[in-house]
């Protein structure tokens, strides 16, 4: 019976092998005739396109992936509960020894032990005793390599083979099967724990005998046979791998083509020949192992087969089980089983098989599809399952299979599942090495997806927030690498390094595709340049590239990729696209141009990129953007002007102040005349003087188009004025001179005269700078300003500002008044006389005389109180101790600001006023400006008043109205109060603004009242109800100020005091004096 069964098995094996060879040959011929030819053409084309890029295959499989699925078969509790190996010492036919005793035996004693054991097993002793002996030997070699090496000698193996290969009669079959089960389990344990096995045991036919036992119906025997066969094949496969690495059979193993290797792996020839030193395996034994995958009724047997094949494939390069049948059977088990350990082993085996051959990946994609991958990624599967299935997807993308793009587009779940898992991993704070590796694998998938289909990559950015996830990956990676205190395992360290490499590869791919896509679009745009009627093919080609062009926007908008993608070449491509797109007329052309400009806008927001890429930005990008200032689209004009402003200001600020000296004469060609090394310290990639020359050249180009900017929409005009104003603040003389050279002064004045000045502070500042640049004797710029109603418009602006609260206009308007009055009086800022032509002086004085109007003087006097806090009142008008003057009663302040009126009301409160009607105004602020700006406004206003009083005597009577006298007293007392709080700063020592106010007011009062007794009497009468003027003059006379001011103040106080009635006079040392 045994011989008949063996012959039947041999015939069945031969038939199966012949059928497998025939099927493999047919499939190989069909593929060679049809599909593989197209694939080779596509592959060669794709390889040429990406030939200069580094190969990503080394990043698809991590070294730990080969160890992830490596698990023993024997004594693996995840596959099967550990068997009961109890034995009875009394039932043993020999005296048992412990493991330590066996390990300590000498060579002769070991031989004697083996002889006694084999004699007992071969002898005619009861089967029960043999069973206990086998159980004892199995226990003895468990987790003990020395004992396993001893028991795995050929003499012992031959004894065990005789024991398990016997075919008992039907009367003792059950007892004999138990003995055979123990025997095959002992062989499996020996193969599991032995580290040194003599290759001569293969001549005993152990592989074939154990392989035949996998066909038994007994479950225990079949499980033991499959586990033992898997352990033996793993040992043989690793030994062959080590042997081939020495160079003896490596060439022979690699001599077959892919298709032949595929056919032979399905069964048909031995994996090795006789040159391998005896480590050879028949194809029938490999087929026995593969057939165990189809064990429908016994899941444990299938688990042993899956794990055994996985061990072999992951640790050996032999292609024994690299075939589509193994892949199909493994997926069938994966799809049917409910065991998570078996599903994990199946996923790892499918990933291992698919990673070894392009044909395997193609079979998986074509016949299995991506549905299992997306389902597993959506489920809470083990991390190893996720990693294995992502590996399959990565190899499908790596080999650029023809149908992979179509499958991914039609199967949207795979992309959403992948990105959902990626987002989940980036949000997790876990430091598990498998999570880090899965992150790296998903990054590889995104990298390959960008190579395969830019549209799919664009979907990842737009629909799945890939930019945010990438930023989290970078943040997490940097935090983990920066944490040096926490002790990390070597596996985690290597995983982090692998993730860093994958991230760098993704950045490099994005950089390549950004440049490649930009150059493709540029090439097509140049071919269509100037053509009004585009053909259908041209429109389709341009439209096809436009669908993926937004990917550039996503690259640049992603912080993680921006600094890596944007370089000099990228800036050059964007500049060329801007120039070329202006001459192409097609539907959506303006929108495309806005997309290009929006990419450049993102670059302009990075100061580091601007400083690093100064040369391409200044030489290529900015000239192209300046040309867009006259574009048809208002959005494009605004964006281009904004970008030019941001870049110019950033570059201009980076130039050292020593190189900002204005040139002697305006020369547009000065850039060619500058030396290459005008400064020892370079900024970015250029010398400071050359940077300045290029910036000024761009400014000249902007100024040439400034006429159109002023006539454009208000937002664009204000942006242009803001740019000029900022540049003037950085380098006033040079920029003002360029404004004059381009004849923009009259344009700015016309814009101001058109009553648009109240909309922008920038136009006022520009006119102030232009007016201040006037030089005697002609004062041409100032004369031109006067001809455009400068004073009238400025006064209107001040009056509106006083009512509406737009206080930011005060300083530039007062600067204009100050400059105008100095010129009208033929004075310089230091008080020295200057010569001005009579014609110019006449025009200037005519305009300056407008400041003598009553409303203009009221406005100037009101500005001397900006930032002054009103006094605090109480029921008995006692000093508050806060340094605030309590002013006596005065008439209501008609024409005053609300804050000034409140100050007057608090100052006129009588001593017997009821407490419930008193108001505490001490916390009321009088301006929205900061204290320094408010002080400068008061200083300039008082200086303008001082010059106005000196030049135009006709203005004197208007200062003696009740409101102006009140303002005069408030300004004088507030400046004295502030100086007292600051410690009595001297004018010459600190240049304090309040000291300027004090000096200007005292001098103006002296000029107006020194030779006019009527005005002195008028002030004295006013001082009866409002004595703050008298007190202020008395305080100035006794304060530590300049001697001339002190002299004027004391004289005025005496003059006013003599005219004041006796009952109203108060000495300066009384209790209610200024504190």
């Amino acid at each position: 019976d045994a011989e008949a069964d063996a012959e039947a098995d041999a015939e069945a094996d031969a038939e199966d092998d012949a059928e497998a060879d025939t099927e493999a040959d047919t499939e190989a011929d069909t593929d060679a005739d049809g599909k593989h030819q197209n694939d080779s053409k596509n592959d060669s084309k794709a390889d040429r396109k990406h030939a200069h890029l580094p190969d990503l295959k080394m990043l698809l499989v991590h070294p730990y992936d080969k160890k992830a699925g490596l698990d023993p078969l024997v004594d693996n509790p995840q596959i099967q509960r550990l068997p009961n190996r109890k034995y009875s010492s009394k039932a043993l036919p020999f005296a048992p020894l412990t493991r330590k005793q066996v390990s300590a035996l000498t060579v002769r004693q070991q031989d004697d032990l083996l002889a006694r054991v084999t004699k007992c097993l071969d002898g005619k002793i009861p089967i029960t005793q043999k069973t206990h002996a086998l159980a004892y030997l199995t226990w003895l070699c468990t987790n003990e390599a020395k004992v396993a090496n001893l028991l795995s000698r050929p003499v012992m193996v031959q004894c065990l083979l005789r024991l398990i290969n016997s075919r008992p009669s039907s009367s003792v079959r059950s007892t004999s099967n138990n003995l055979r089960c123990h025997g095959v389990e002992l062989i499996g344990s020996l193969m599991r724990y032995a580290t040194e096995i003599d290759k001569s045991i293969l001549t005993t036919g152990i592989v074939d005998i154990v392989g035949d036992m996998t066909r038994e119906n007994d479950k225990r025997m079949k499980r033991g046979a499959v586990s033992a066969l898997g352990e033996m094949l793993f040992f043989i496969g690793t030994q062959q791998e080590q042997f081939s690495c020495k160079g003896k059979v490596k060439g022979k193993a690699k001599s077959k083509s892919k298709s032949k290797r595929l056919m032979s792996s399905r069964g048909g020839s031995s994996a090795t020949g006789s040159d391998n030193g005896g480590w050879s395996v028949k194809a029938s034994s490999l087929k026995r192992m593969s057939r165990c995958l189809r064990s429908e009724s016994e899941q444990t047997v299938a688990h042993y087969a899956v794990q055994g094949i996985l061990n072999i494939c992951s640790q050996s390069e032999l292609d024994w089980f690299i075939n589509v049948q193994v892949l199909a059977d493994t997926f069938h088990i994966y799809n049917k089983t409910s065991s998570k350990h078996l599903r994990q082993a199946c996923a790892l085996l499918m990933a291992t098989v698919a990673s070894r051959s392009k044909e395997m990946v193609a079979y998986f994609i074509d016949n299995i599809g991506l549905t299992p991958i997306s389902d597993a990624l959506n489920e809470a599967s083990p991390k190893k399952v996720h990693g294995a299935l992502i590996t399959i997807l990565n190899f499908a993308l790596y080999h650029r299979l023809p149908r992979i793009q179509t499958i991914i587009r039609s199967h949207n779940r795979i992309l959403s599942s992948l990105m959902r898992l990626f987002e989940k991993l980036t949000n997790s704070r876990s430091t598990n090495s498998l999570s880090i590796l899965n992150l790296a694998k998903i990054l590889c998938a995104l990298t390959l997806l960008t190579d395969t289909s830019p549209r799919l990559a664009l979907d990842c950015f737009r629909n799945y927030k890939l930019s945010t996830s990438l930023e989290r990956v970078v943040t997490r990676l940097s935090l983990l690498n920066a944490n040096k205190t926490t002790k990390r395992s070597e596996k985690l360290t290597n995983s982090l390094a692998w993730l860093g490499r994958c991230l760098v590869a993704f950045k490099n791919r994005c950089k390549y595709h950004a440049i490649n896509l930009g150059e493709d679009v540029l090439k097509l745009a140049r071919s269509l340049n100037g053509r009004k009627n585009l053909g259908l093919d041209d429109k389709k080609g341009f439209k096809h590239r436009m669908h993926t062009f937004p990917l550039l926007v996503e690259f640049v908008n992603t912080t993680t990729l921006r600094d890596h993608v944007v370089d000099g070449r990228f800036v050059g491509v964007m500049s060329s696209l801007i120039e070329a797109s202006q001459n192409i007329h097609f539907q959506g052309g303006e929108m495309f141009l806005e997309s290009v400009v929006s990419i450049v806008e993102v670059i302009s927001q990075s100061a580091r990129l601007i400083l690093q890429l100064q040369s391409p930005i200044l030489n290529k990008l900015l000239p192209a953007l300046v040309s867009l200032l006259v574009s048809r689209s208002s959005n494009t004009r605004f964006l281009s002007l904004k970008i030019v402003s941001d870049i110019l200001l950033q570059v201009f600020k980076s130039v050292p102040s020593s190189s900002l000296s204005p040139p002697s004469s305006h020369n547009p060609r000065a850039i060619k005349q500058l030396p290459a090394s005008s400064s020892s310290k370079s900024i970015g990639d250029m010398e400071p003087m050359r940077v300045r020359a290029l910036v000024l050249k761009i400014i000249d180009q902007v100024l040439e188009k400034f006429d159109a900017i002023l006539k454009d929409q208000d937002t664009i005009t204000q942006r242009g004025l803001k740019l000029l104003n900022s540049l003037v603040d950085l380098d006033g003389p040079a920029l003002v001179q360029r404004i004059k050279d381009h004849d923009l002064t009259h344009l700015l004045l016309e814009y101001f005269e058109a009553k648009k000045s109240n909309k922008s502070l920038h136009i006022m500042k520009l006119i102030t700078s232009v007016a201040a640049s006037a030089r005697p004797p002609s004062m041409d710029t100032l004369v031109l300003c006067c001809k455009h109603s400068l004073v009238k418009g400025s006064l209107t602006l001040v009056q509106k500002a006083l009512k509406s609260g737009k206080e930011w206009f005060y300083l530039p308007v007062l600067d204009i008044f100050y400059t105008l009055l100095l010129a009208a009086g033929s004075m310089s800022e230091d008080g020295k006389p200057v010569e001005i032509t009579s014609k110019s002086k006449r025009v200037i004085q005519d305009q300056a005389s407008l400041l003598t109007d009553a409303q203009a003087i009221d406005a100037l006097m009101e500005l001397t109180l900006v930032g002054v806090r009103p006094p605090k009142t109480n029921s008995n008008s006692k000093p508050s101790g806060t340094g605030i003057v309590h002013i006596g009663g005065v008439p209501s302040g008609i024409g005053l600001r609300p804050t000034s009126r409140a100050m007057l009301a608090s100052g006129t409160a009588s001593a017997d006023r009821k407490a419930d009607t008193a108001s505490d105004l001490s916390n009321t602020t009088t301006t929205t400006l900061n204290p320094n700006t408010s002080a400068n406004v008061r200083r300039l206003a008082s200086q303008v008043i001082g010059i106005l009083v000196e030049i135009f005597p006709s203005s004197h009577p208007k200062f003696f109205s009740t409101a102006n006298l009140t303002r005069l007293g408030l300004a004088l007392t507030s400046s004295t109060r502030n100086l007292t709080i600051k410690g009595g700063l001297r004018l010459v020592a600190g240049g304090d603004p309040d000291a300027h106010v004090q000096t200007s007011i005292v001098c103006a009062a002296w000029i107006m009242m020194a030779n006019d007794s009527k005005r002195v009497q008028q002030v004295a009468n006013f001082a009866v109800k409002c004595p703050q003027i008298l007190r202020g003059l008395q305080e100035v006379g006794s304060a530590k100020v300049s001697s001339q001011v002190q002299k004027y103040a004391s004289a005025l106080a005496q003059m006013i005091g003599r005219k004041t009635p006796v009952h109203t006079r108060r000495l300066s040392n009384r209790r209610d004096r200024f504190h």
Side-chain angles (χ1 to χ4, degrees), residues 548-581:
T548 56
F549 186 79
L551 187 60
L552 290 181
V553 182
E554 301 296 338
F555 285 162
V556 177
N557 282 329
T558 305
T559 307
T560 306
L561 303 176
R562 183 187 306 145
D563 294 343
H564 201 79
V565 169
V566 178
D567 57 0
R569 185 179 175 188
F570 183 84
V571 173
V573 170
M574 292 296 104
S575 306
S576 302
L577 275 176
I578 292 174
E579 295 174 353
S581 59

Side-chain angles (χ1 to χ4, degrees), residues 289-529:
M289 191 69 180
S290 301
R291 282 178 179 173
C292 294
L293 295 173
R294 306 168 209 168
S295 180
E296 295 272 349
S297 60
E298 185 57 40
Q299 180 175 298
T300 305
V301 174
H303 198 166
Y304 275 122
V306 170
Q307 188 62 54
I309 295 175
L310 175 60
N311 292 342
I312 297 169
C313 293
S314 62
Q315 298 299 313
S316 175
E317 293 296 329
L318 298 174
D319 54 0
W320 287 349
F321 301 102
I322 309 301
N323 55 75
V324 295
Q325 188 63 50
V326 169
L327 193 60
D329 294 339
T330 305
F331 173 72
H332 181 74
I333 299 172
Y334 171 85
N335 203 27
K336 295 295 183 180
T337 185
S338 59
S339 172
K340 64 177 183 179
H341 298 293
L342 181 54
R343 282 175 63 89
Q344 176 176 298
C346 291
L348 292 171
L349 179 56
M350 289 189 294
T352 304
V353 173
S355 63
R356 297 281 291 275
S357 171
K358 181 179 178 180
E359 290 81 1
M360 299 297 103
V361 183
Y363 175 83
F364 187 96
I365 298 299
D366 294 339
N367 297 276
I368 299 176
L370 298 177
T371 302
I373 298 179
S374 62
D375 293 342
L377 295 181
N378 287 326
E379 299 172 356
S381 302
K383 297 181 179 63
K384 290 184 179 180
V385 175
H386 288 164
L389 296 179
I390 296 172
T391 300
I392 297 176
L393 178 62
N394 286 345
F395 274 95
L397 294 171
Y398 172 78
H399 290 298
R400 302 186 184 94
L401 300 179
R403 296 183 61 242
I404 188 64
Q405 295 186 36
T406 306
I407 293 175
I408 293 178
R409 288 196 190 114
S410 60
H411 195 280
N412 295 328
R413 291 179 57 193
I414 182 64
L415 198 58
S416 61
S417 302
L418 188 69
M419 295 308 301
R420 194 177 296 111
L421 178 61
F422 187 59
E423 184 179 4
K424 179 181 178 181
L425 292 175
T426 54
N427 288 326
S428 174
R429 296 184 179 180
S430 173
T431 57
N432 186 280
S433 58
L434 291 178
S435 299
I436 302 297
L437 287 180
N438 287 346
L439 268 178
K441 291 180 179 180
I442 296 177
L443 272 178
C444 287
L446 294 174
T447 305
L448 296 168
L449 198 65
T450 307
D451 288 346
T452 305
S453 175
R455 288 192 184 184
L456 295 176
L458 182 60
D459 291 340
C460 293
F461 278 100
R462 283 185 169 180
N463 301 328
Y464 302 106
K465 300 179 181 179
L466 179 57
S467 300
T468 307
S469 300
L470 286 175
E471 292 174 5
R472 285 198 294 263
V473 169
V474 173
T475 303
R476 184 179 179 186
L477 187 61
S478 60
L479 290 177
L480 289 175
N481 289 330
N483 187 6
K484 303 296 183 181
T485 58
T486 305
K487 187 176 181 180
R488 294 187 304 214
S489 62
E490 181 183 359
K491 186 175 182 181
L492 179 58
T493 303
N494 294 336
S495 301
L496 291 174
W498 196 265
L499 177 60
R501 292 178 58 186
C502 294
L503 184 60
V504 171
F506 180 73
K507 290 180 179 180
N508 291 334
R509 274 303 201 272
C510 292
K511 180 178 181 179
Y512 163 75
H513 288 295
I515 297 294
N516 188 45
L517 180 58
E519 290 181 344
D520 287 347
V521 175
L522 176 61
K523 184 178 180 181
L524 181 59
R526 285 176 174 172
S527 65
L528 304 177
N529 193 0

Side-chain angles (χ1 to χ4, degrees), residues 202 205-212 229 232-233 236 280-281 285:
L202 294 181
I206 183 173
V207 179
D208 298 331
I209 294 173
V210 174
D212 291 339
L229 181 61
M232 282 189 292
L233 292 178
I236 295 171
S280 59
V281 180
S285 300

Side-chain angles (χ1 to χ4, degrees), residues 660-822:
L660 288 178
S661 56
S664 57
S665 61
H666 171 61
N667 184 4
R669 300 181 180 179
I671 182 175
K672 298 182 180 180
Q673 302 173 1
L674 290 174
S677 59
S678 58
S679 177
S680 58
K681 184 179 180 180
S682 61
I683 304 170
D685 55 351
M686 301 177 65
E687 297 294 333
M689 290 302 297
R690 183 164 182 81
V691 171
R692 172 181 166 78
L694 288 173
V695 170
L696 294 178
K697 182 180 179 181
I698 300 299
I699 293 174
D700 290 336
Q701 296 176 5
V702 174
L703 293 178
E704 291 175 358
K705 296 178 173 58
F706 214 80
D707 186 10
I709 295 176
L710 289 176
K711 298 177 182 178
D712 211 324
Q713 298 178 3
D714 190 60
T715 54
I716 299 176
T717 303
Q718 299 306 321
R719 174 63 67 173
L721 293 174
K722 181 180 179 181
L723 169 62
L724 285 187
N725 187 40
S726 301
L727 292 174
V728 168
D729 290 341
L730 292 174
D731 191 1
L735 269 299
V736 171
Q737 183 61 41
R738 274 174 160 71
I739 291 175
K740 294 179 180 179
D741 293 339
H742 288 276
D743 198 19
L744 292 180
T745 306
H746 72 282
L747 294 177
L748 296 175
L749 291 171
E750 288 175 358
Y751 182 84
F752 174 79
E753 194 176 9
K755 298 182 181 180
K756 298 181 180 180
S757 56
N758 58 341
K759 297 182 180 180
S760 173
L761 175 65
H762 306 297
I763 185 64
M764 291 302 306
K765 289 185 175 181
L766 283 174
I767 292 177
T768 303
S769 301
V770 172
S773 66
R775 294 292 179 267
S778 63
M779 304 295 284
D780 51 352
T781 307
L782 190 58
V783 171
L784 182 61
C785 293
C786 293
K787 291 180 179 180
H788 285 81
S789 305
L790 177 62
V791 176
K792 183 178 180 181
S794 300
L795 285 174
T796 304
L797 182 61
V798 170
Q799 292 171 356
K800 289 182 178 179
L802 288 172
K803 294 179 180 180
S804 61
K806 296 181 178 180
E807 298 175 323
W808 49 87
F809 289 100
Y810 293 160
L811 275 179
V813 171
L814 290 174
D815 280 331
I816 291 176
F817 292 165
Y818 185 69
T819 303
L820 186 67
L821 289 173
L822 285 178

